[in-house]
Amino acid sequence: MDIELTKEDDAFRAEVRRFISEKLPRELAERETVGASGERGALRRWQKDLHEKGWVAVNWPRQYGGTGWTPMQKHIFNEEMAAANAPRLSPFGLSMVGPVIYTFGNEEQKKQHLPGILSGDVWWCQGYSEPGSGSDLASLRTRAVRQGDHYIVNGQKIWTSYAHEADWIFCLVRTDETAKPQEGISFLLIDMKTPGIEVKPIISIDGLHHLNEVFFTDVKVPVTNRIGDKNKGWTYAKFLLVNERTGIAGVPESKRKIAHLRKIARQERLGDGTALADDPAIMTKLSEIEVKLTGLEYTNLRIVADEVAGRPAGPSSSTLKIVGTEIQQALSELAVEAVAFYAMPFQREHLMGIANEAPVGPAYAVSVTSAYNFGRAASIYGGSNEIQRNVIAKAVLGL
Ligand SMILES: Cc1cc2nc3c(=O)[nH]c(=O)nc-3n(C[C@H](O)[C@H](O)[C@H](O)COP(=O)(O)OP(=O)(O)OC[C@H]3O[C@@H](n4cnc5c(N)ncnc54)[C@H](O)[C@@H]3O)c2cc1C
């Protein structure tokens, strides 16, 4: 693989750094460091700045408002954003449904939905999973029955991240009960304000509200909100999942976390006053994770080089997802170990970024336990790691 950076790549990196130093609000970057979730208004302003610069849709083609960047430029951009603690923009519009709409949607749908996704004015959520239909997604039972120009949708979705904040949901629905499971599914875009939609919170193990159940009772959805052909939703759903998994790997974010952990290790002391950074036990663990991450980074770069040569990532995104999430979980475990008893207090206001007094312990300790707890989900969402191993066995190894 050829991963030499050109002079243009170096100049591009400098430009990205300049933009970040001028535009990224310090307050937003600091929140990311302590792990607090960003407030919607601040995130929206950050997205607007990126949008004005034309940098919001890194992976989209230029004709739809994307950057048109080379795979290497995208890689550099993601690295610099993560290194600067820039908050990740919500992936549901930009990385998931946006590409489905510009690839399989009609002109009307592109006109209606792409501008709001780019500007950040319209937030999306993902309605795939149902009780009993997670790994076995094709067994989903939410039904859409056609009545004239509308579908009448009935059923339930679960684990719907940020449905309580979303304006629209993209849903997999069953439109043919008689066909094979994969062949009777359609892909619908549904306005969350439509009567008959009820969102119920699920409070996760970190004590916060990210997840929901979404119930549909006789929800009337125009047929024009269907993407592509009836019963072909599975094709669009799989296309979307490849993008989702590649994003979950989070190599640059893990690199930042390693650097952050090294900083913590220089500040934290053992009982005898020795700096944690001089403790071989913990530093060996950190180095082992770093070695694994370097391996993953080169796998990622190999995929980037393949893309430059016109060979798309496809099922190799499953490898990135497995190793990337294993690294994230190992890092969050080490962070708990590093801050020791400061991992104990549950400081909800600080986690939500709404506290008005100083935290117990150092600011970097506030979110380590919630990140550790919620991080267990990384090997489950986007398709569990066991399922990714099945994908690799079939599609990569041909077993
Ligand atoms: C934090 C979080 C956020 C999520 N956000 C969303 C969202 O926004 N939208 C959405 O639609 N979904 C979302 N999900 C749902 C997620 O995609 C599913 O949880 C996931 O696909 C697993 O499905 P399941 O929970 O039904 O588990 P199950 O499918 O019941 O699996 C249970 C266990 O069995 C294993 N298993 C199942 N089948 C096999 C097999 N064939 N071979 C080997 N092992 C197997 C699994 O790996 C897992 O360990 C989210 C989940 C979490 C935890």
Side-chain angles (χ1 to χ4, degrees):
M1 69 175 164
D2 179 8
I3 51 166
E4 282 294 305
L5 292 188
T6 62
K7 259 198 207 130
E8 289 76 20
D9 289 332
D10 288 336
F12 176 70
R13 190 186 290 279
E15 191 187 354
V16 174
R17 284 191 182 163
R18 214 167 30 247
F19 176 83
I20 291 171
S21 73
E22 285 168 10
K23 295 286 183 186
L24 176 63
R26 258 191 62 176
E27 181 247 2
L28 214 50
E30 278 166 10
R31 274 189 179 198
E32 270 289 297
T33 312
V34 296
S37 57
E39 178 254 319
R40 187 165 173 159
L43 281 174
R44 195 173 260 170
R45 282 192 297 280
W46 170 231
Q47 176 155 349
K48 285 231 179 314
D49 282 339
L50 284 165
H51 183 37
E52 264 169 33
K53 178 81 174 163
W55 283 3
V56 80
V58 173
N59 293 308
W60 294 20
R62 205 188 286 276
Q63 72 189 105
Y64 297 120
T67 56
W69 283 337
T70 63
M72 188 52 81
Q73 284 177 309
K74 293 177 195 171
H75 178 76
I76 292 170
F77 180 79
N78 290 336
E79 259 194 333
E80 291 301 325
M81 284 289 160
N85 288 335
R88 285 180 93 165
L89 300 175
S90 170
F92 297 105
L94 285 167
S95 309
M96 297 191 201
V97 76
V100 168
I101 293 172
Y102 66 65
T103 308
F104 304 105
N106 58 35
E107 287 310 312
E108 279 308 304
Q109 290 167 337
K110 290 179 202 171
K111 246 192 256 156
Q112 181 181 359
H113 295 294
L114 299 183
I117 293 174
L118 288 167
S119 66
D121 289 331
V122 180
W123 283 24
W124 287 80
C125 63
Q126 177 185 31
Y128 274 26
S129 307
E130 297 181 8
S133 304
S135 302
D136 183 16
L137 186 59
S139 69
L140 61 93
R141 283 168 303 169
T142 294
R143 264 180 314 136
V145 177
R146 186 146 180 183
Q147 263 183 23
D149 292 340
H150 287 82
Y151 283 113
I152 305 299
V153 180
N154 280 286
Q156 183 198 343
K157 298 290 173 184
I158 194 167
W159 311 123
T160 323
S161 305
Y162 308 108
H164 56 299
E165 294 180 340
D167 305 296
W168 281 73
I169 182 169
F170 54 91
C171 265
L172 295 181
V173 292
R174 186 154 302 287
T175 37
D176 187 342
E177 312 259 358
T178 56
K180 278 196 208 155
Q182 283 87 343
E183 290 166 11
I185 292 171
S186 297
F187 195 108
L188 275 190
L189 312 179
I190 306 179
D191 186 334
M192 289 295 280
K193 289 185 294 301
T194 319
I197 298 182
E198 191 187 355
V199 178
K200 288 191 181 165
I202 300 175
I203 302 303
S204 40
I205 191 170
D206 58 355
L208 300 179
H209 180 194
H210 312 270
L211 302 169
N212 302 278
E213 294 177 282
V214 182
F215 295 88
F216 298 85
T217 310
D218 293 332
V219 176
K220 211 171 159 193
V221 182
V223 172
T224 48
N225 285 15
R226 192 188 69 220
I227 292 285
D229 295 331
K230 181 183 167 198
N231 296 335
K232 289 279 180 284
W234 192 248
T235 310
Y236 318 138
K238 281 194 304 185
F239 166 89
L240 180 148
L241 282 171
V242 168
N243 293 336
E244 181 179 359
R245 282 169 196 153
T246 312
I248 289 172
V251 174
E253 287 79 11
S254 288
K255 272 175 95 171
R256 181 190 76 205
K257 282 182 188 151
I258 286 180
H260 185 56
L261 262 173
R262 288 198 185 282
K263 245 192 230 161
I264 292 178
R266 284 195 292 275
Q267 290 180 47
E268 289 293 314
R269 305 272 139 195
L270 298 170
D272 64 1
T274 320
L276 206 58
D278 295 324
D279 175 26
I282 202 152
M283 296 317 282
T284 303
K285 284 187 197 167
L286 186 57
S287 300
E288 280 169 359
I289 302 172
E290 196 166 15
V291 167
K292 199 167 172 185
L293 181 61
T294 307
L296 182 66
E297 188 180 9
Y298 276 86
T299 303
N300 203 4
L301 282 169
R302 213 167 47 235
I303 291 172
V304 170
D306 275 353
E307 282 178 16
V308 175
R311 293 184 294 269
S316 52
S317 64
S318 296
T319 317
L320 294 181
K321 201 242 154 181
I322 294 172
V323 183
T325 53
E326 285 174 354
I327 289 170
Q328 289 159 24
Q329 292 179 341
L331 283 171
S332 66
E333 191 175 330
L334 203 55
V336 171
E337 211 177 309
V339 304
F341 44 78
Y342 286 123
M344 299 287 279
F346 175 55
Q347 306 187 69
R348 192 161 190 279
E349 283 75 21
H350 284 280
L351 287 171
M352 297 178 72
I354 53 169
N356 52 18
E357 3 176 275
V360 177
Y364 56 67
V366 165
S367 65
V368 290
T369 303
S370 67
Y372 169 83
N373 285 333
F374 193 70
R376 303 302 95 192
S379 46
I380 300 172
Y381 56 65
S384 75
N385 285 11
E386 289 77 19
I387 294 299
Q388 302 318 306
R389 289 193 170 87
N390 289 350
V391 171
I392 292 168
K394 254 200 202 158
V396 182
L397 303 175
L399 298 175

